[in-house]
Amino acid sequence: VPASICFGPNLRSLVTTLKEVHHFSYERLSQHLSDLCHLSLSQGTLCSLIHRVADCVSPRYQEIREEVKGGNAIESDETGARMAGKRMQLWVFRNPLTTFLHIDRSRGNKVIEGFLGTLFTAAAWVSDRLGAHLMVVAHGGHQLCLAHLLRDFQFCIDAFHTSWSYTCQRLLRKSLALRRTLDALVDQGHDVWHEPPWIAWRLRAVADLQRQWDRLFVEDRPGKNKEERALQRSLRKHSAAVFLFLHRQDVPPTNNGSERDLRPEKIHQKVIGGYRSMRGAQAHA
């Protein structure tokens, strides 16, 4: 241990794990170390230890970013955060194996551009209908989160009793049932994504769903309320982003993975009450 530093890597790891993973506040963490380890550490010292760990793992953090960028599908979402009393955005970019977190003041597309290096990606992009996500030029296509859409349609059904929203919701549920059937067949050993007979069967089923879906938006039947009309305009413009998950096995139908990755972060924010500085917020990410 260097003469000017009294704490080694084990203590730094313990402090970081308790603070960033188990949601200890600095006050509780200082008391915990005093009770169990007989160490009297100020909150400033604990903060310094965590920043030192963040500097050490920064190269791996950038590797994670490249791993997500290089995947076949990228799921993205964001949630609000507080830093020094100001509103921030905690972004998540992920694939089934890797998750990259980034905190920023903006909720705009410049954050995605900073992550990708451009607004173009060869991967498929899975997200909700936030405008920043839909501005990404995804060569692999866009997939809208069906869980979000089902909730939007349910709101219109509950609030306005609209048959159009009910029909749309029913079609989305049929598409999710078809995907579950495809996944079950794969588990049984059938290559439904590559063998010609299965491909033909799958494409017929998807084409039938797509025809029924398109018919709901081609007809001149404006919604009776502004929420439904906004849904119609948005989904008419992004119709190709609804059933991509039935054409590609590596594209999920929902963005629930991002929601699950953000859930521990929301718990962390509720426990600590927010971040004191941008450096602390970035260290946590």
Side-chain angles (χ1 to χ4, degrees):
V1 177
S4 61
I5 302 174
C6 301
F7 312 111
N10 287 338
L11 181 63
R12 292 200 298 269
S13 300
L14 175 63
V15 167
T16 303
T17 300
L18 293 178
K19 176 66 173 65
E20 307 298 350
V21 179
H22 296 285
H23 318 306
F24 275 51
S25 67
Y26 280 117
E27 183 179 3
R28 286 182 58 208
L29 180 54
S30 178
Q31 185 66 44
H32 182 78
L33 293 175
S34 175
D35 292 343
L36 296 187
C37 303
H38 305 289
L39 291 173
S40 179
L41 301 180
S42 68
Q43 296 185 31
T45 300
L46 296 174
C47 183
S48 178
L49 292 177
I50 291 173
H51 288 166
R52 191 171 295 131
V53 172
D55 293 338
C56 290
V57 301
S58 181
R60 176 59 185 145
Y61 180 65
Q62 297 304 324
E63 289 176 6
I64 290 174
R65 171 184 174 179
E66 296 303 317
E67 290 172 10
V68 176
K69 287 171 57 177
N72 294 327
I74 301 175
E75 303 168 52
S76 180
D77 202 359
E78 76 292 324
T79 188
R82 304 290 293 179
M83 188 276 293
K86 298 180 180 179
R87 185 171 178 82
M88 308 289 288
Q89 295 294 326
L90 180 64
W91 289 75
V92 58
F93 303 96
R94 73 181 301 276
N95 58 36
L97 297 178
T98 314
T99 298
F100 179 84
L101 295 174
H102 171 73
I103 194 159
D104 201 282
R105 289 184 173 87
S106 173
R107 200 186 181 197
N109 63 321
K110 68 178 184 179
V111 178
I112 301 175
E113 187 174 7
F115 167 72
L116 293 174
T118 176
L119 277 179
F120 172 85
T121 178
W125 194 267
V126 184
S127 67
D128 54 25
R129 292 186 295 119
L130 181 69
H133 295 296
L134 298 178
M135 291 182 69
V136 176
V137 180
H139 181 70
H142 278 266
Q143 173 61 56
L144 296 178
C145 175
L146 297 199
H148 281 78
L149 291 180
L150 288 172
R151 290 195 292 268
D152 291 339
F153 287 129
Q154 189 63 47
F155 169 78
C156 291
I157 294 170
D158 294 340
F160 311 110
H161 308 286
T162 58
S163 60
W164 179 84
S165 294
Y166 173 77
T167 305
C168 290
Q169 189 185 68
R170 185 177 60 181
L171 280 177
L172 293 185
R173 294 192 187 281
K174 285 183 178 180
S175 69
L176 290 171
L178 176 58
R179 177 60 186 255
R180 289 193 294 270
T181 300
L182 294 173
D183 292 340
L185 289 170
V186 170
D187 292 340
Q188 296 171 12
H190 303 290
D191 192 357
V192 298
W193 299 96
H194 301 98
E195 293 182 357
W198 287 111
I199 292 176
W201 171 78
R202 175 172 55 83
L203 290 180
R204 284 195 301 270
V206 175
D208 181 56
L209 284 172
Q210 189 70 57
R211 281 194 300 270
Q212 295 181 61
W213 180 264
D214 292 340
R215 194 177 301 125
L216 291 169
F217 294 89
V218 171
E219 297 176 2
D220 187 15
R221 43 188 300 182
K224 298 179 181 180
N225 53 82
K226 63 179 182 179
E227 288 84 0
E228 193 171 74
R229 289 195 295 271
L231 262 177
Q232 289 176 344
R233 288 193 299 269
S234 177
L235 294 176
R236 186 180 291 113
K237 183 177 179 181
H238 302 288
S239 178
V242 177
F243 297 124
L244 178 64
F245 73 100
L246 294 175
H247 296 279
R248 290 185 53 173
Q249 184 180 11
D250 55 355
V251 174
T254 70
N255 203 20
N256 288 344
S258 297
E259 301 277 357
R260 286 191 292 269
D261 286 346
L262 287 175
R263 189 171 296 126
E265 305 311 312
K266 298 303 292 185
I267 294 173
H268 186 78
Q269 293 171 26
K270 289 180 182 298
V271 171
I272 68 174
Y275 304 104
R276 299 180 180 183
S277 66
M278 177 59 79
R279 186 182 182 191
Q282 292 173 340
H284 175 73

